[in-house]
Amino acid sequence: MVRMIRESFAVVEPHAEEVAKFFYGMLFSLSPATREMFPANMEVQRSRLLRALVHVVQMVDRPDDLIPFLRQLGRDHRKFGVVSAHYEAVGTALLSAVKKFAGASWTPKVEMAWAEAYTIMARAMQEAAEADNGPAYWHATVLEHQRVSWDLAVVRLQPDHPVSYRAGQYVSVETPQRKRLWRYYSPANAPREDGIIEFHVRSVDGGWVSRSVVGHTQAGDTWRIGPPMGRLSVDRTAGTDILMVAGGTGVAPMHAIIDEMAQFGENPRVHLFYGGRTREDLYDLDNLQRIATTNPWLTVVPVLESDPGARGVEQGTLADVVTRYGAWEERDVLVCGSPAMIRSTVSRMLVAGTPLDKIKYDPFTLD
């Protein structure tokens, strides 16, 4: 089943944009009510669908990773009001889209493999959604909007009830300026007693939500926050040292984990490579270095791609610098940043000899 799914998807993937358009056209035809769950502009949603498919195909032979991801996705989809009939329509639309672009590679056995895989996926998502007694989403009020630079803002919010996330996880958010345009952001702080959550948001090209958050969010705005997702975390009791690789605002979940670890006297060693193009991209460096001065288990290494005159930093891409230090075989590895940064860093680490089962990253981290 795994081989047939991967081989047929390899044929389909070059036609990603057409696959996504066909999928959503079929879905809205089969279940018109689902159209109200999505924004008018579907461009970002289509790219997100393909990222999800790629992620699932990559993990299809790793059920210990795939099933927890699907269960989180099922809980997250409660915010849309998804019901069983929607899963049926999604399955039909997905198989139809893959079949249309798989060409001669689509055989009855391949169709059976995709149908079986989707049934397993849908069951895991539905069971998780039905078992979750928590809210489908939380309302949160913006307390502060701090413009750090022309393209970066720090936003602090007060949820109406504490959001039960773990340091390192991410959540979906909806802002009043961009209704139905849900985006994923990682809290940059560990859970606090007062419940306040801090997000670091950088405006990206074509980012409807991120540009709105940076430029137009105001104190008093009400956001909606979906259930927490993601598998970035540190088990302090495991006795395994940690390697963190963060690009840009991908440092937010790392900061949250470090924030939590700093509450304890003893911790595994943490080596954080924090990268960007120029020094201005390393907006959180001073805060992290301040934490490191009083926590000897933490080492912070700044990395710059396009600032050869800078001192006290490593030069090159994160993939270059991290692998220059070795394969890190004995460490648990956490990676967060843009999809391109994650792909290049993980690929280079695998070539350098880092075991795949040591590396963790999340698929939905960009507007």
Side-chain angles (χ1 to χ4, degrees), residues 18-322:
E18 296 95 327
V19 171
K21 288 180 179 178
F22 185 90
F23 166 80
Y24 281 110
M26 176 69 74
L27 175 62
F28 299 153
S29 175
L30 293 170
S31 180
T34 60
R35 185 63 184 90
E36 293 302 312
M37 298 177 183
F38 299 96
N41 188 314
M42 291 289 294
E43 181 178 352
V44 172
Q45 189 64 38
R46 286 194 290 267
S47 67
R48 183 176 295 168
L49 168 70
L50 268 300
R51 289 211 304 276
L53 277 176
V54 168
H55 194 66
V56 167
V57 170
Q58 288 173 339
M59 295 197 300
V60 72
D61 59 346
R62 292 154 49 196
D64 289 345
D65 292 327
L66 178 58
I67 296 302
F69 169 73
L70 293 172
R71 292 182 68 83
Q72 288 182 345
L73 209 58
R75 288 191 289 269
D76 182 59
H77 277 57
R78 292 170 61 227
K79 67 178 183 271
F80 297 119
V82 173
V83 297
S84 296
H86 296 147
Y87 282 98
E88 296 174 12
V90 167
T92 301
L94 176 62
L95 266 65
S96 297
V98 176
K99 177 180 180 179
K100 179 176 176 62
F101 293 92
S105 68
W106 189 262
T107 66
K109 287 186 177 180
V110 170
E111 183 169 6
M112 187 177 298
W114 275 92
E116 182 179 345
Y118 180 75
T119 299
I120 295 170
M121 292 164 51
R123 184 184 300 124
M125 293 176 66
Q126 287 179 274
E127 289 176 351
E130 291 167 0
D132 193 340
N133 295 321
Y137 55 82
W138 290 259
H139 288 102
T141 303
V142 174
L143 300 179
E144 182 182 4
H145 175 269
Q146 178 187 357
R147 193 80 175 258
V148 177
S149 65
W150 69 272
D151 67 343
L152 180 69
V154 172
V155 184
R156 297 180 180 89
L157 298 103
Q158 178 71 70
D160 53 1
H161 298 287
V163 180
S164 55
Y165 70 95
R166 298 190 313 271
Q169 288 191 299
Y170 60 96
V171 297
S172 55
V173 304
E174 181 198 52
T175 70
Q177 290 84 7
R178 293 289 185 264
K179 293 286 188 181
R180 294 190 293 175
L181 285 171
W182 291 84
R183 293 294 183 269
Y184 293 110
Y185 294 119
S186 296
N189 61 294
R192 296 172 29 163
E193 288 188 8
D194 59 13
I196 291 175
I197 299 178
E198 176 177 302
F199 294 107
H200 299 172
V201 182
R202 187 181 296 280
S203 175
V204 299
D205 291 340
W208 284 38
V209 175
S210 62
R211 291 167 64 183
S212 174
V213 169
V214 172
H216 304 294
T217 291
Q218 299 180 359
D221 285 353
T222 298
W223 289 18
R224 288 201 293 169
I225 298 178
M229 302 176 65
R231 60 193 193 123
L232 296 185
S233 64
V234 169
D235 181 357
R236 295 180 51 259
T237 65
T240 305
D241 291 333
I242 309 300
L243 169 66
M244 296 181 175
V245 186
T249 53
V251 77
M254 310 302 186
H255 193 143
I257 293 171
I258 291 168
D259 181 31
E260 183 171 73
M261 295 177 70
Q263 301 172 25
F264 300 90
E266 295 185 6
N267 284 299
R269 290 180 300 165
V270 175
H271 209 111
L272 168 63
F273 289 90
Y274 178 26
R277 290 184 299 276
T278 66
R279 178 61 180 80
E280 288 70 29
D281 291 330
L282 307 187
Y283 66 94
D284 203 31
L285 181 60
D286 291 344
N287 292 329
L288 291 164
Q289 290 178 329
R290 194 176 302 115
I291 297 172
T293 60
T294 55
N295 293 276
W297 47 266
L298 175 62
T299 300
V300 179
V301 179
V303 178
L304 295 180
E305 291 183 37
S306 307
D307 200 345
R311 296 184 177 183
V313 303
E314 292 278 4
Q315 298 287 343
T317 66
L318 280 164
D320 292 334
V321 175
V322 170

